[in-house]
Amino acid sequence: MSRVGVPVVVVAGFLGSGKTTLLNHLLREGGRDGSVGARIGVLVNDFGAVNIDAMLVAGQADGAVSLANGCMCCSVDRDGLDAALSTLLRPSARIDAIVIEASGIAEPRALIRMVTGSNDPRMRYGGLVYVVDAAMFARTRHEHPEIDLHIAVADLVVINKIDLVEPDALDDIRMVLRELNPTAAQISVIDARVDPAMLFDPVVAPDADASDSAGDDAGPVQLTLDALFHDPGPRDSEPLDCGTADEHDHDHEHGPGEHCHRHLHDEFTSVEFTSTAPMDPRRLARFLERPPVGCYRIKGVAHFDLPGHRQRHIVHGVGGFVEVRRDSWAGQVRQTSIVAIGTGIDRDEVLSVLTAAVADDATADDEHGILHITRHLPAR
């Protein structure tokens, strides 16, 4: 069975936008004890800047914080980023998703290039999440116009602190963001409460019987610091160096008398497509590489009826960056199942495009079309 790469999500945003709150929310709600049940690895420049919720911390050593819910947080600078990723990607770490908080490590564009340019099959690009302070948006753009470039390459824009602006002002912010980035998903929140399931898939823990029969590797266990940094074997990594604090987020705390919108956050939506008919690889690749407006990520399996390519194709796409893995159908029904996840997605458009991507008489034997899919396979 081919294991898909671990998604690496980059979180960026200007000083005070709410990145710290978002990270803590993901660790609480996305971790083993939360709704997603994932073991999350977080890379930050400095623990003091991130101020991890003290209730989560289980131990600290060698530039890493071990969290009680099974997650890990590593302090790293740009020079140590590759080593930190390699450490978190080791099988013994059992990390399900990695989040990089960009401040003090690297400029967001550089981080995107680093992740998407990696040939490490253990990871895949999980998207750039850019956090915007709704109350300070206009002033921040005026004083720091370079943030427009960051917003332009984001895959998901989180409009935070919407309880501090009037509805008309929020509409104006959304319009400006759409002009800066016409295709990214937008989500409006209070206290950076983004559903972790929008960023990465829920993890299904095996049942007790399966754990007993399969051994220690079957189920989630607390990862000790010693196990992470002193794993015996040729790929052992050196402890990570700590960076220096470049940024401190100071999120607004909302009192009981302050204005608050009715909904804490926009619900993300998903559009599902299923077909037992084989797909046209050219058209499907075009959909994956040019996702619809508001789509944050695409996942699923695809069925092609072409000689030498009848395996199950597992596809993931974020912001036009696509990963494809192949394995056996192993008795499963040969069918395509694609899910597009985001906000404000035009359901009819997605279904129409994917329906048109079903192979027809003119494309059924297009043996060269599959190259548009196989070029996204990991390099050997």
Side-chain angles (χ1 to χ4, degrees), residues 317-371:
V318 175
F321 295 100
V322 181
E323 180 199 64
V324 177
R325 303 292 176 103
R326 294 192 293 199
D327 64 16
S328 170
W329 288 99
Q332 301 177 53
V333 176
R334 292 174 182 263
Q335 67 175 23
T336 296
S337 299
I338 301 291
V339 181
I341 300 170
T343 58
I345 301 176
D346 187 328
R347 175 183 176 84
D348 292 338
E349 177 189 358
V350 170
L351 295 178
S352 175
V353 172
L354 287 173
T355 299
V358 173
D360 52 30
D361 292 341
T363 62
D365 59 353
D366 181 8
E367 62 183 39
H368 298 296
I370 195 65
L371 297 176

Side-chain angles (χ1 to χ4, degrees), residues 91-166:
S92 59
R94 302 181 193 171
I95 294 295
D96 301 305
I98 296 174
V99 180
I100 303 176
E101 202 279 274
S103 302
I105 297 179
E107 192 262 356
R109 285 176 179 264
L111 282 172
I112 293 174
R113 287 194 297 268
M114 186 276 298
V115 176
T116 58
S118 172
N119 291 324
D120 192 331
R122 298 172 299 174
M123 72 176 184
R124 60 182 170 86
Y125 179 58
L128 170 62
V129 178
Y130 197 86
V131 186
V132 169
D133 181 342
M136 299 293 293
F137 181 60
R139 177 177 175 181
T140 302
R141 286 189 69 217
H142 176 71
E143 297 178 354
H144 303 275
E146 66 273 12
I147 73 165
D148 285 4
L149 298 176
H150 298 164
I151 293 171
V153 297
D155 302 296
L156 172 64
V157 180
V158 177
I159 310 172
N160 193 28
K161 307 182 187 180
I162 62 171
D163 53 327
L164 303 183
V165 298
E166 295 299 325

